[in-house]
Amino acid sequence: MPYLGSEDVVKELKKALCNPHIQADRLRYRSVIQRVIRMSKLDQWGQAEVLNFLLRYQPRSEEELFDILNLLDSFLKSSSPGVVMGATKLFLILAKKFPHVQTDVLMQVKGPLLAACSSESRELCFAALCHVRQILHSLPGHFSSHYKKFFCSYSEPHYIKLQKVEVLCELVNDENVQQVLEELRGYCTDVSADFAQAAILAIGGIARTYTDQCMQILTELLGLRQEHITTVVVQTFRDLAWLCPQCTEAVCQALPGCEENIQDSEGKQALIWLLGVHGKRIPNAPYVLEDFIENVKSETFPAVKMELLTAVLRLFLSRPAECQDMLGRLLHYCIEEEKDMAVRDRGLFYYRLLLAGISEAKQILCSPESDPSLRLLEDQAERPVNSWALDFNTLVPVYGKARWATIAKCQGVEHHGPELPNTAAFPTSGSLIPEENKERVQELPDSGALMLIPNHQLTAECFEKTWLSLKVAHQQVFPWQGAVHPDTLQMALQVVNIQTIAMSRAGTQPWKAYLSAQDDTGCLFLTELLLEPANLQMQISVKQSEARTETLKSFISVLETVIGTIGDIKS
Amino acid sequence: MISQFFILSSKGDPLIYKDFRGDSGGRDVAELFYRKLTGLPGDESPVVMHHDDRHFIHIRHSGLYLVATTSENISPFSLLELLSRLATLLGDYCGSLGEATISRNVALVYELLDEVLDYGYVQTTSTEVLRNFIQTEAVVSKPFSLFDLSSVGLFGAETQQSKVAPSSAASRPVLSSRSDQSQKNEVFLDVVERLSVLIASNGSLLKVDVQGEIRLKSFLPSGSEMRIGLTEEFCVGKSELRGYGPGIRVDEVSFHSSVYLDEFESHRILRLQPPQGELTVMRYQLSDDLPSPLPFRLFPSVQWDRGSGRLQVYLKLRCDLPPKSQALNVRLHLPLPRGVVSLSQELSSPEQKAELGEGALHWDLPRVQGGSQLSGLFQMDVPGLPGPPGQGPSASAPLGLGPASLSFELPRHTCSGLQVRFLRLAFRPCGNANPHKWGSPARA
């Protein structure tokens, strides 16, 4: 237990949050919570812990909610960033039914967040920037007047600059677009290629709303004839041509001349796509594509070749006279000499398509040139605050949603996060297991020589491997009536530290479950529960990673008691 | 709640390792961290990394890496704050934070960690409470003596009148030897401002930002009350007006929780009873509206002959400080295009130095007097340089001639104009003469 100032405080907190008797009695629970909130002698670590505990609390009435908010208001102005962010998160979660309160809280936290963004400590700056981006997803105009704070300094580390560029892209509005674009324009010629490319992509993002100014900047950038700049600009043009058809004209005028400066796969694909789809507006499109075809033998990227095939065919359909000859040569090469099977197949497909007739080919290949509705869909990605309120002030915004998803997957099947506390769930959702039974179940780990470790996590693959390699140590049948309630069973097993790897849904026949547990000596117990249809019994098979009859017996008895308790409840 | 804590030197050598919960890995996790850090792809942030069910979060302080690992999804702000506070605490106990001091005081560091964190939970980081538990003494490299002052080179007549302490005076351990009553009781008060300014190529100001702190380092026994008086015309926020004339204005202030603000409203006096050690009394911010002109102005001119590849850069640096002040350690960093072959330079005064390094030009001026103007002419050969097309010499800059950045220190000068008027101590520690007060030079 963290040190929260004094023994009384610790006692109070323990009473409130760990004792199910207090939680069952709402009035006592509430009064303890109020006492906790009013404690004044806590230091910043204690305050942060209290705010974390309070996340589990559900106020019963609006009055109580605002009472708590008023009491904790001073935490929002604390000098410790951990406390301020913890208080913000708590307020956002408590006030989830009152969006105007949430907006108000975010206004109050603007000052501390901006101060953290300009802090001396780079790490704090980075964490603050990630949270700013999180807020901008819901309130895009929130930081617009403070755009200057997000201009990059030369000496900042790369990862901070990238975050700032993203923020600048998201907080653009009518008043600051001119200055922001000028600043981003400066970054596009930065020495670091990555940073320059990020800046160009950001301008591309802004171009969806402020097309003219951005198009002008992007066209100027093409004039520098720098490889790393040109390739990203052309990719941006491709995206813009798809999402904003009004800039197609400008794109087509800017394209001639780019092909000399592009060497990488992505850039080439983008250029070729543009030439194919909008080739009728670009006078020298056939000649550029012809150059690519001349060099197709030495082309290393199969994706470029695929794109080339499609583009040349499209252009042929709109400018047949100029393209007929080179299309023939390209198809001949792809079908006869190409080694990559995907490219060859596509060449064959197009050849047969042409044999079938021009009108068929036109039907298949002449797709719409742009899809502005996609842009509207993307713009409506403003998410409500409640979707990310739980993630605020945790590591999730710092990693980013995508990376966090991969991390969470690696961390095993059961992720015991702060959102699933078993003890605190009882007062709110109603006891699923009556008090007496739960206490019976809780007493078990003390009996016998078996100590099952809590928070034991085994991945599914590991379970499967171990399961297949062991022999059944014990098998038993159990009297059972009716269907199984998986949630109840899972929770009951949780209490005795048995992890559920997989469980069938309620009502499936036959119903199966796989459980695993580990005791303090490292011995694994793997269990299969099987409920056949029409049988009045549940079959239990237990496999043990080390042959020890004593502990096996204790484990069986624990399992029996849990299943017996669950069975008793329904009967 | 953290699982492990370790400190690495700047080269990755583990100096300190402590496992609090025993639930993940062993000592090799430090090496794992360093390898991961150096092998990270460019666009991922190193601040929080993930490996094998563990999150690594670290800060860099004085060249050391302070790293904590955790397996829970906890608040990054709390954790970063904890690491910063640990850095300050270690600095207080060992004198200063650095590889050498940590290596000398390993036992003290482990004792501190034991008291501050219990099973990964923070117990307390307050020096008051910790004093009662820490027994080990800090080991210093050589005993500090005020007689060393005479060997410090101060400038001319100012030695007698001003009490400017050498920077090493503040770096001895604060919290050592409780039994030693004969040590000098001293207090160091710093007003430190960080100024960051972005100037466009046509000279207009894009962004001006001042972050200021009043830092206190107290060797006095705790419980001594002190009062710090700030300039009376100091206004907070845009609408307040005090005194006559524009006064000194800041946008926002925040105070340490132990400061009493009862006299702040009326007389701008801060009252506090600081614990021993380092403390940030007040933080303030100011943007966009500096009362005094910027300390420096740079006038560049670039001549580039594309044909012969000759690049000539003429830089004139003008210092707009009042004539009595000066700037120290001025360093101009100018990134250069790729492939610069040679550098010839003409500098306006002998103590300046310019050299090429890491694709950039570094121009060092150790001392710049207020009101003076210094210039340097640099000629380089850059064969085959891409840039805007054109023949013959042109005044446009080639690609890669990056933004110039200037860093400097301004002792005894604040950009916002905030000054400390007085520092009064209300309590005389028993058995000692008047405590010594140092007002250290301000750094900007």
Side-chain angles (χ1 to χ4, degrees):
Chain A
M1 201 60 159
Y3 175 79
L4 290 169
S6 73
E7 283 304 310
D8 310 308
V9 170
V10 173
K11 258 197 299 192
E12 291 286 0
L13 271 175
K14 269 192 173 152
K15 263 201 296 187
L17 296 161
C18 304
N19 189 339
H21 290 297
I22 292 258
Q23 289 173 12
D25 179 348
R26 282 205 66 88
L27 231 47
R28 270 171 80 186
Y29 190 59
R30 228 173 75 215
S31 73
V32 174
I33 292 285
Q34 296 277 349
R35 271 209 289 275
V36 163
I37 296 176
R38 285 192 162 87
M39 283 186 297
S40 55
K41 288 189 304 186
L42 296 175
D43 65 356
Q44 74 249 52
W45 314 110
Q47 288 172 353
E49 285 294 335
V50 166
L51 290 167
N52 207 17
F53 286 138
L54 287 174
L55 283 173
R56 310 183 203 178
Y57 183 64
Q58 304 252 15
R60 248 167 100 199
S61 68
E62 206 176 302
E63 200 187 304
E64 194 184 347
L65 166 71
F66 286 110
D67 199 26
I68 295 183
L69 293 184
N70 283 326
L71 279 174
L72 293 173
D73 190 58
S74 57
F75 284 8
L76 270 183
K77 303 190 188 68
S78 163
S79 55
S80 147
V83 174
V84 173
M85 295 302 156
T88 311
K89 176 177 181 170
L90 179 64
F91 280 33
L92 289 177
I93 290 180
L94 285 180
K96 55 176 169 272
K97 298 204 192 75
F98 303 98
H100 62 280
V101 176
Q102 290 179 328
T103 316
D104 202 35
V105 170
L106 289 173
M107 284 297 293
Q108 285 208 38
V109 84
K110 213 176 7 170
L113 259 182
L114 285 173
C117 288
S118 344
S119 147
E120 229 174 351
S121 154
R122 294 164 164 186
E123 295 84 8
L124 190 60
C125 181
F126 177 72
L129 283 171
C130 294
H131 284 80
V132 165
R133 283 186 68 190
Q134 185 76 283
I135 296 181
L136 282 176
H137 281 166
S138 295
L139 299 169
H142 202 62
F143 291 99
S144 295
S145 48
H146 300 273
Y147 64 95
K148 286 194 185 164
K149 301 242 175 192
F150 300 103
F151 283 179
C152 301
S153 309
Y154 192 72
S155 55
E156 279 171 351
H158 192 60
Y159 56 91
I160 290 194
K161 285 200 227 182
L162 286 178
Q163 289 290 326
K164 284 191 169 175
V165 164
E166 295 284 330
V167 171
L168 281 175
C169 176
E170 286 165 25
L171 57 65
V172 155
N173 67 9
D174 288 337
E175 285 149 10
N176 60 24
V177 64
Q178 198 55 37
Q179 288 96 316
V180 172
L181 280 178
E182 255 179 60
E183 185 67 15
L184 285 174
R185 165 93 179 72
Y187 299 156
C188 293
T189 44
D190 192 83
V191 159
S192 150
D194 284 332
F195 184 52
Q197 291 180 341
I200 297 174
L201 289 172
I203 296 186
I206 299 178
R208 293 175 200 186
T209 350
Y210 298 96
T211 323
D212 297 321
Q213 295 140 311
C214 297
M215 280 304 300
Q216 202 185 352
I217 295 181
L218 291 170
T219 318
E220 273 170 25
L221 286 173
L222 278 183
L224 294 173
R225 296 175 186 283
Q226 288 285 294
E227 210 180 285
H228 66 277
I229 294 182
T230 310
T231 170
V232 183
V233 172
V234 172
Q235 288 173 51
T236 316
F237 278 165
R238 173 196 53 194
D239 293 337
L240 280 178
W242 184 251
L243 293 169
C244 305
Q246 67 265 30
C247 49
T248 320
E249 208 34 66
V251 168
C252 294
Q253 279 176 355
L255 273 186
C258 298
E259 62 277 3
E260 302 159 4
N261 297 93
I262 301 185
Q263 297 298 331
D264 67 316
S265 161
E266 284 292 323
K268 282 192 202 169
Q269 286 177 52
L271 181 61
I272 295 174
W273 184 87
L274 280 168
L275 290 172
V277 173
H278 298 286
K280 42 189 185 308
R281 273 173 272 208
I282 306 175
N284 69 340
Y287 307 106
V288 178
L289 286 175
E290 185 158 21
D291 271 331
F292 278 110
I293 295 176
E294 298 289 315
N295 300 322
V296 74
K297 283 199 187 85
S298 49
E299 179 59 63
T300 34
F301 303 109
V304 175
K305 294 187 221 181
M306 306 261 267
E307 200 65 54
L308 190 59
L309 273 168
T310 315
V312 175
L313 190 55
R314 279 202 179 114
L315 197 57
F316 169 71
L317 293 171
S318 52
R319 291 161 81 159
E322 294 155 296
C323 304
Q324 181 174 355
D325 192 43
M326 61 189 192
L327 178 60
R329 272 181 284 143
L330 180 63
L331 283 176
H332 178 89
Y333 170 78
C334 289
I335 298 175
E336 301 290 327
E337 294 172 46
E338 175 58 49
K339 294 198 190 57
D340 184 303
M341 280 301 116
V343 179
R344 184 171 175 278
D345 277 348
R346 190 177 273 209
L348 265 177
F349 168 64
Y350 285 159
Y351 180 68
R352 288 173 187 146
L353 190 59
L354 283 172
L355 282 179
I358 290 288
S359 48
E360 274 81 359
K362 273 201 178 144
Q363 246 179 352
I364 292 190
L365 277 177
C366 290
S367 46
E369 289 178 12
S370 63
D371 190 4
S373 58
L374 197 62
R375 190 188 106 205
L376 289 171
L377 277 174
E378 279 188 5
D379 280 346
Q380 270 163 18
E382 247 183 57
R383 282 153 31 198
V385 174
N386 289 330
S387 62
W388 51 261
L390 263 177
D391 292 333
F392 195 80
N393 199 30
T394 63
L395 294 171
V396 178
V398 180
Y399 279 116
K401 266 275 172 181
R403 254 207 98 205
W404 182 258
T406 49
I407 290 174
K409 255 195 304 196
C410 300
Q411 267 185 335
V413 177
E414 296 234 319
H415 186 59
H416 301 283
E419 318 90 65
L420 306 168
N422 288 326
T423 46
F426 282 93
T428 50
S429 53
S431 299
L432 294 173
I433 299 179
E435 300 278 17
E436 327 77 62
N437 284 346
K438 185 160 164 286
E439 286 189 306
R440 243 180 72 200
V441 171
Q442 248 176 346
E443 276 161 15
L444 281 171
D446 300 326
S447 62
L450 184 67
M451 274 297 299
L452 293 174
I453 57 173
N455 290 333
H456 154 71
Q457 287 178 6
L458 196 65
T459 62
E461 294 85 18
C462 199
F463 181 89
E464 195 174 344
K465 222 172 36 172
T466 324
W467 180 262
L468 293 171
S469 66
L470 291 173
K471 287 215 253 299
V472 176
H474 181 90
Q475 230 166 12
Q476 190 174 337
V477 282
F478 231 84
W480 191 267
Q481 271 185 357
V484 182
H485 290 272
D487 296 308
T488 322
L489 185 59
Q490 185 168 346
M491 224 187 273
L493 290 167
Q494 185 77 37
V495 175
V496 292
N497 300 324
I498 299 181
Q499 176 197 4
T500 310
I501 301 283
M503 208 178 249
S504 309
R505 265 197 287 236
T508 26
Q509 314 223 331
W511 186 89
K512 272 198 206 171
Y514 289 97
L515 319 171
S516 106
Q518 190 177 25
D519 78 351
D520 46 3
T521 63
C523 177
L524 277 176
F525 297 93
L526 307 179
T527 314
E528 184 196 49
L529 301 176
L530 179 61
L531 185 66
E532 292 280 5
N535 275 10
L536 290 173
Q537 51 201 14
M538 179 178 288
Q539 186 184 26
I540 305 176
S541 316
V542 181
K543 292 186 184 177
Q544 196 182 10
S545 65
E546 290 157 357
R548 286 203 215 129
T549 27
E550 263 297 307
T551 44
L552 182 62
K553 279 202 204 129
S554 310
F555 179 76
I556 305 279
S557 65
V558 169
L559 204 53
E560 276 177 3
T561 318
V562 173
I563 298 184
T565 313
I566 302 294
D568 282 340
I569 290 175
K570 293 174 303 68
S571 54
Chain B
M1 167 257 303
I2 68 184
S3 307
Q4 294 150 309
F5 173 77
F6 46 94
I7 303 184
L8 300 179
S9 74
S10 50
K11 294 190 205 63
D13 308 314
L15 301 169
I16 300 280
Y17 170 82
K18 186 140 176 85
D19 194 332
F20 292 105
R21 296 175 72 85
D23 62 356
S24 38
R27 301 188 88 94
D28 55 348
V29 75
E31 199 196 298
L32 185 78
F33 163 79
Y34 191 68
R35 249 183 302 137
K36 213 168 149 71
L37 183 71
T38 44
L40 206 60
D43 55 351
E44 262 182 49
S45 149
V47 177
V48 184
M49 300 192 289
H50 178 82
H51 182 86
D52 220 14
D53 277 3
R54 259 171 295 172
H55 303 281
F56 292 84
I57 189 164
H58 80 279
I59 63 167
R60 285 209 74 174
H61 200 284
S62 320
L64 299 174
Y65 293 97
L66 283 85
V67 191
T69 67
T70 173
S71 46
E72 301 225 330
N73 187 10
I74 56 181
S75 157
F77 292 100
S78 286
L79 202 43
L80 288 170
E81 203 185 329
L82 173 65
L83 289 173
S84 305
R85 181 69 193 135
L86 274 174
T88 314
L89 213 51
L90 290 175
D92 281 344
Y93 271 91
C94 303
S96 63
L97 193 61
E99 196 176 332
T101 47
I102 296 282
S103 318
R104 273 198 292 266
N105 291 295
V106 169
L108 174 60
V109 173
Y110 277 113
E111 198 180 348
L112 263 174
L113 288 175
D114 263 331
E115 294 301 333
V116 169
L117 289 154
D118 181 30
Y119 201 58
Y121 289 100
V122 181
Q123 300 298 295
T124 175
T125 53
S126 138
T127 43
E128 282 318 292
V129 182
L130 284 173
R131 276 202 79 193
N132 302 324
F133 299 109
I134 303 294
Q135 309 285 337
T136 327
E137 292 290 317
V139 174
V140 281
S141 54
K142 76 173 173 148
F144 171 74
S145 156
L146 273 177
F147 291 118
D148 288 339
L149 269 185
S150 54
S151 58
V152 174
L154 297 172
F155 322 115
E158 289 185 21
T159 324
Q160 313 305 323
Q161 280 123 29
S162 63
K163 294 197 176 85
V164 177
S167 47
S168 62
S171 64
R172 60 198 164 99
V174 178
L175 299 155
S176 58
S177 50
R178 285 167 292 144
S179 53
D180 180 8
Q181 290 296 327
S182 63
Q183 67 170 10
K184 290 273 189 302
N185 288 304
E186 288 166 321
V187 159
F188 293 85
L189 190 64
D190 267 326
V191 178
V192 180
E193 284 187 352
R194 270 187 320 123
L195 172 71
S196 58
V197 175
L198 273 181
I199 306 182
S201 50
N202 59 1
S204 60
L205 282 183
L206 290 178
K207 170 180 105 150
V208 176
D209 210 26
V210 176
Q211 305 269 338
E213 282 181 353
I214 298 186
R215 284 199 205 137
L216 182 73
K217 187 156 184 171
S218 162
F219 291 86
L220 301 174
S222 323
S224 342
E225 189 180 285
M226 65 175 64
R227 290 157 86 226
I228 302 173
L230 304 171
T231 340
E232 286 241 1
E233 300 90 32
F234 167 46
C235 316
V236 178
K238 296 224 179 318
S239 50
E240 206 185 343
L241 202 60
R242 290 169 80 93
Y244 303 101
I248 291 149
R249 186 175 301 277
V250 300
D251 287 342
E252 274 181 14
V253 272
S254 65
F255 301 95
H256 192 264
S257 44
S258 61
V259 174
Y260 297 104
L261 294 171
D262 35 354
E263 290 175 61
F264 184 69
E265 269 308 298
S266 45
H267 297 106
R268 293 297 187 231
I269 295 181
L270 304 171
R271 193 164 63 87
L272 68 158
Q273 295 181 326
Q276 282 191 338
E278 231 180 88
L279 178 67
T280 301
V281 178
M282 182 171 112
R283 271 186 233 264
Y284 56 94
Q285 284 135 309
L286 175 60
S287 33
D288 291 336
D289 246 340
L290 285 193
S292 49
L294 290 179
F296 284 103
R297 270 187 293 164
L298 183 69
F299 301 99
S301 94
V302 176
Q303 284 280 336
W304 179 39
D305 186 353
R306 199 170 185 201
S308 64
R310 180 146 267 246
L311 177 65
Q312 184 173 297
V313 179
Y314 177 67
L315 296 169
K316 186 162 75 164
L317 188 67
R318 199 194 143 75
C319 181
D320 285 326
L321 291 173
K324 282 216 195 119
S325 321
Q326 50 187 288
L328 300 178
N329 295 331
V330 181
R331 192 157 221 249
L332 186 119
H333 169 95
L334 180 68
L336 295 173
R338 263 176 274 200
V340 166
V341 168
S342 60
L343 172 72
S344 80
Q345 48 184 278
E346 284 166 33
L347 304 171
S348 62
S349 85
E351 57 185 19
Q352 299 167 28
K353 235 180 357 147
E355 60 194 9
L356 270 182
E358 296 162 4
L361 172 71
H362 300 280
W363 186 20
D364 290 309
L365 304 98
R367 195 179 316 158
V368 179
Q369 196 71 24
S372 67
Q373 204 164 279
L374 296 164
S375 60
L377 177 67
F378 306 96
Q379 281 167 339
M380 295 156 263
D381 277 319
V382 198
L385 188 63
Q391 303 299 327
S394 67
S396 55
L399 210 58
L401 192 64
S405 61
L406 190 68
S407 64
F408 48 87
E409 280 180 23
L410 303 174
R412 320 211 103 226
H413 175 90
T414 54
C415 299
S416 63
L418 183 66
Q419 304 254 339
V420 172
R421 269 187 305 134
F422 62 82
L423 165 65
R424 276 192 210 126
L425 300 164
F427 170 71
R428 294 232 174 133
C430 51
N432 282 50
N434 264 334
H436 222 104
K437 293 174 262 181
W438 297 102
S440 252
R443 277 170 248 110

